[in-house]
Structures are given as structure tokens and as C-alpha cells.
Amino acid sequence: MFKSIDSWMNLLKAGFDYQLLLSDIWTGTFAELHQELRYSQIKVESLEDWRQFIQIWSRVFDREFAYKLRLEDAILLQGKFLNTVVNYLPHQPQLSKEIVQILELLTKINLINIFNYLYKDKIQVGVTPKTEVYQEDKLVLYRFTPLQPSSLNIPMLIVYGLVNRPDIVDLQSGRSLVAHLLNLGIDVYLIDWGYPSEGDRWLTLDKYINGYLNNCVDVIRDRHNLDEINLLGICQGGTFSLCYTSLYPEKVKNLITMVTPVDFHIHEGLLNVWSGSSLGSQALDVDLMVDTLGNIPGNFLNFVFIMLKPFQLGIQKYIDLLDILECEDKLLNFLRMEKWIFDNPDQAGEAFRQFMKDFYQGNKLIKGQVKIGNKQVDLGNIHIPILNIYAEQDHLVLPASSLALEKYIASVDYTVRSFPVGHIGMYVSSKVQKDLPSAIMNWLKVRT
């Protein structure tokens, strides 16, 4: 009982300190907003409407938030708060359960979920027909139904990350990277990692890369009687693909990385410093999290991503929703994105532990110190052609993190392509959807 009370008191104190930090950010925001309006000679009354003012305020708030939460004292304070939360949970399981039930009830009674219920038949994601060709544990390997005869003799395997669902590459008709690639004559496969359960907490990066990913590559090689296939690795899946290509260079013909983190110590990235790129376990005690929670809840990770731009992602977009309520197409687009954003699988504890400690905190990928099982990952072992695609306005994977790749690989055939969008814009922007698939196809054509 004493330990429970003590952990509760520590949580209250850490929470109070964290709230003071957030209050300081709000105060600083108002000051910055006043200065910006003053120096740009913009008066509130001269703005077209209150939404324009919200947009300016949103930009200023998230800029101030990112600046303050990147400072060492703030990182330590946030790390302490997260640690006390993790320490508190085991002491109050029943209370935690009741709180979660209340929160879940509250989240169900909101406008978004009402819309989701009314339009549930119209907001399905993952729309392109596909066939299951391989299954292992919770993983499923899909082959998308070709829309026309293949114009390339080498199939492509899309490797997405573990954090969100891969449906984003096939979100809806007209905004599907997969469909566009199929229309160009590319034979496309996709790994669906599934939803880890409590029994999967011991899954390691060795299992994901040397096991699941390698088995999927072999299945495709056998189906097409090929020695090599093409890989398209996206975000964390791109990092996995780099590791895989280093370990199995004889199985990969061409590698495409998209919005892929390589240098995890780009301290301008708020996600990097929160994850411990500068202060290690003082910012995020990964061992404490995994040892206490087992699998890392997907909802927790989603909350972290939203907090990178709390005003824009947590408030402004719902205000902007008011402008599209009468346009069903735009509303359905919004709901599909919401469905994908909040569909976060839990993270297998041991895989999460190694990825956070070795990549984010240790930056071992570019140091040649990552070990997957008993195999050493050396980016200098990659000699094949690489197309590296990044988003110029990416706040999750900063351009500098992706562009670092060139310094560590041995490939002489290295191409960079960028698009003036953010991280999510790489999947859903109409301009990107128009240009990206053809850029991939044209690059592959001369390398088959």
C-alpha cells in the first residue's frame, strides 16, 4: 500500500511540474503571437475570419512547443513524468482499468465517431484487390491483383513500419500508391505485420528481419524463380530494408527508401530528442517501459506523434473539419485518414526495446554497430542501386536524417528525389500521387 501511495504522490508531483512546463509554453505562445502580429503589421481585426487567426496561432504554438520541448531541462522533466507514469501503473491495476474504461467511453461519444458510424461502409481503407500468398504467426504477405501485364520482370515488395497499418499506401480509390504502381505494370507485394498480442512481447528485430522479412523475400523469389527482387521500404520499414539489404545483398536487386530515418541524432527533430538521441534513458527509459508494460501500447505512441504538433494535430484539424461537413467527399477523405491515424498496433516489447536503444538512442545504424541476431549490419555492404525519397517538410523524419544515407553506403548508383510535402503528404498528396509512382517506375525501368 505504501508503495502505491508513494508512486501516486510521485506521479502527482511530476504531473504538476509537467503542467507548469506546458503553462510556460502557453504563455510564451501568446507573447510570440503578439510579436508576430505586431512585426508583420497584421491586426486581428484585419484577418479574414477567426479560422485564419487560429492557423497563425497554431503555427506559433507548435513552433514554441517544439523549441521548449527540445531543451535539456524540458526533456529531463518529460522523461521523469513518463517514468513516474510507468512506475505508477502496476500499483493501481484496477484503478487504471476503470480510468481506461471511462476514457474509452468518452472517446466514443464524439462527433468523429458518430460520423464513423454513419459512414462506416464508405470509409474502408485498403481498397485494391489482393490475395494472401503467405502467412506466418500474425504476419500476412499479400500480392495485389495485377491490373495489366507486368512491364517489369522483377516484383516489388513494400515493407512498411510497425507503428501504423500499411493501409496508408492503399488508402482509397484515386489516392493509392499501390494502385498507381499496378497501373504502371509493377507487380506489387505487401507485408502486413498484424497486431502483436501479449504473447508476442518477446519478438525481436532478429525475428522481424532475419525471420519474417527474409521468409517473405524467399517466398516471392520462389514464386517468380528469381534470385533478387526489388524492395520499397517506407519509414521504419525503410530502416528495416536497409538492415536487410546489408545482411542479404544477394537477394535485393534495387532498393527504394521513402521517408526513411538513417541518422537518428538529428537533434532538430523533436521525436529524436524525446526518444533519447541527446539524453538517452534520462529522456526515455526504454527498459523501464518494456519491463513494466511488456508490449508498448499503440495508443501511447499515437499520443506522442500528436504531441509533436499538438495544436495542429489535436485542435486545428478538427476546427478545419467544420469547413468540409457539407462536402461528403472531403468528409470521407478526412474520416479515412482519421481511421488510419488511430489504428495503431501495439509494439512487441523486445523489438521496441532494441529499436529505440540501438537506433534512436545509440545511433548505431550509421556507426555500423547494429546487430540483428548474430549478424552485423554494415551500410557499407550495400552496393546495389538506391532511390532515396524524402519529404521536404517532414517533421517525423527530418530530411537530414534521410539524406545521411549517402555517406554510409557503398552504392555508386544513388539517386535522391524529394517532394514539397510533409510525412503523411507522401502518401495522400494529389501531386505526389501523380508524380511519385512514375518516378519510381522510370527509375526501375533502367535498372531491371
Side-chain angles (χ1 to χ4, degrees):
M1 177 63 71
F2 175 78
K3 289 183 177 179
S4 295
I5 296 175
D6 187 51
S7 65
W8 178 63
M9 293 297 293
N10 288 335
L11 177 62
L12 288 180
K13 184 179 184 304
F16 180 74
D17 291 340
Y18 191 61
Q19 286 298 320
L20 287 178
L21 173 63
L22 295 180
S23 298
D24 182 57
I25 292 174
W26 276 99
T27 303
T29 297
F30 284 115
E32 288 289 323
L33 179 63
H34 179 264
Q35 288 291 92
E36 179 157 327
L37 292 174
R38 179 181 176 186
Y39 287 132
S40 60
Q41 296 182 339
I42 298 176
K43 302 300 181 183
V44 175
E45 58 269 17
S46 69
L47 299 177
E48 293 180 5
D49 56 31
W50 63 277
R51 290 188 182 86
Q52 186 178 355
F53 175 76
I54 290 293
Q55 290 176 352
I56 297 174
W57 188 14
S58 171
R59 184 178 68 252
V60 172
F61 180 92
D62 287 342
R63 185 177 65 209
E64 179 76 4
F65 185 88
Y67 169 72
K68 287 290 180 63
L69 265 295
R70 193 179 290 113
L71 300 178
E72 182 172 315
D73 289 345
I75 298 171
L76 291 172
L77 194 61
Q78 180 168 268
K80 181 180 179 180
F81 174 66
L82 291 175
N83 291 342
T84 56
V85 171
V86 172
N87 271 317
Y88 171 72
L89 291 178
H91 295 289
Q92 294 291 347
Q94 188 59 40
L95 179 60
S96 299
K97 180 179 178 181
E98 293 174 358
I99 291 174
V100 168
Q101 289 175 342
I102 294 172
L103 292 176
E104 287 180 347
L105 178 62
L106 291 175
T107 59
K108 292 177 181 177
I109 309 174
N110 61 51
L111 183 62
I112 300 300
N113 282 300
I114 292 173
F115 280 133
N116 284 335
Y117 175 78
L118 294 175
Y119 291 102
K120 61 182 178 181
D121 295 331
K122 295 184 177 182
I123 59 172
Q124 300 304 313
V125 295
V127 296
T128 303
K130 57 185 181 290
T131 303
E132 178 182 325
V133 296
Y134 176 72
Q135 189 270 333
E136 181 180 357
D137 298 332
K138 294 185 173 64
L139 173 146
V140 178
L141 174 65
Y142 291 104
R143 183 191 187 189
F144 289 92
T145 304
L147 299 179
Q148 62 180 31
S150 176
S151 56
L152 296 176
N153 57 9
I154 301 177
M156 170 189 291
L157 172 61
I158 297 179
V159 184
Y160 198 74
L162 303 175
V163 177
N164 286 101
R165 300 282 295 149
D167 299 327
I168 190 66
V169 299
D170 186 34
L171 191 64
Q172 66 187 72
S173 178
R175 288 204 297 176
S176 168
L177 174 61
V178 166
H180 289 307
L181 292 174
L182 292 172
N183 279 324
L184 293 172
I186 299 178
D187 198 347
V188 181
Y189 288 78
L190 172 73
I191 293 177
D192 183 338
W193 301 108
Y195 294 85
S197 62
E198 185 176 350
D200 298 314
R201 67 163 296 180
W202 305 109
L203 289 178
T204 61
L205 291 186
D206 178 30
K207 181 64 174 178
Y208 276 107
I209 296 175
N210 289 322
Y212 295 141
L213 178 52
N214 188 41
N215 291 342
C216 288
V217 170
D218 285 344
V219 167
I220 300 171
R221 291 167 65 234
D222 291 342
R223 285 174 60 90
H224 293 265
N225 193 27
L226 293 170
D227 293 328
E228 305 168 317
I229 68 169
N230 295 326
L231 287 186
L232 169 57
I234 301 175
C235 195
Q236 184 191 39
T239 308
F240 282 9
S241 297
L242 286 168
C243 293
Y244 181 82
T245 303
S246 168
L247 300 177
Y248 302 92
E250 72 281 1
K251 297 184 181 183
V252 184
K253 175 69 173 178
N254 300 293
L255 173 61
I256 303 168
T257 55
M258 193 165 92
V259 292
T260 294
V262 177
D263 184 348
F264 289 79
H265 281 191
I266 303 298
H267 298 312
E268 291 76 16
L270 197 54
L271 181 61
N272 292 348
V273 295
W274 283 4
S275 299
S277 66
S278 57
L279 296 178
S281 62
Q282 294 181 82
L284 183 66
D285 193 333
V286 180
D287 289 330
L288 175 63
M289 289 185 67
V290 176
D291 292 344
T292 303
L293 302 177
N295 288 341
I296 306 303
N299 289 337
F300 167 77
L301 297 177
N302 189 55
F303 172 76
V304 171
F305 294 140
I306 291 175
M307 288 300 290
L308 294 172
K309 287 189 174 183
F311 202 110
Q312 293 181 44
L313 302 179
I315 300 175
Q316 182 184 340
K317 72 174 182 178
Y318 298 109
I319 294 174
D320 294 340
L321 176 62
L322 300 175
D323 293 330
I324 62 173
L325 290 180
E326 297 180 359
C327 179
E328 184 177 83
D329 287 344
K330 292 182 179 179
L331 176 60
L332 292 177
N333 290 344
F334 179 90
L335 293 176
R336 289 188 190 97
M337 280 300 303
E338 287 291 283
K339 181 176 182 178
W340 174 77
I341 287 171
F342 288 96
D343 187 3
N344 303 98
D346 293 345
Q347 300 292 291
E350 291 307 314
F352 179 84
R353 188 198 304 267
Q354 184 181 0
F355 194 75
M356 297 304 295
K357 294 182 70 173
D358 284 2
F359 290 80
Y360 274 99
Q361 296 186 353
N363 208 21
K364 293 181 179 181
L365 179 62
I366 64 174
K367 298 176 182 178
Q369 298 173 355
V370 169
K371 291 192 71 174
I372 306 298
N374 60 357
K375 299 175 181 289
Q376 194 81 28
V377 174
D378 179 5
L379 294 180
N381 197 37
I382 300 178
H383 297 265
I384 64 171
I386 293 182
L387 172 60
N388 190 12
I389 303 167
Y390 70 94
E392 296 169 9
Q393 301 165 20
D394 200 329
H395 73 289
L396 290 176
V397 181
L398 268 64
S401 177
S402 296
L403 290 172
L405 178 61
E406 184 177 12
K407 295 186 292 185
Y408 301 100
I409 55 174
S411 304
V412 294
D413 186 352
Y414 175 77
T415 307
V416 175
R417 180 68 190 270
S418 68
F419 291 87
V421 294
H423 194 82
I424 304 301
M426 288 296 294
Y427 314 109
V428 298
S429 163
S430 57
K431 178 171 175 53
V432 174
Q433 287 291 309
K434 178 182 177 182
D435 297 337
L436 175 59
S438 59
I440 291 175
M441 180 61 175
N442 292 336
W443 185 81
L444 286 173
K445 269 184 179 179
V446 298
R447 293 168 176 84
T448 55

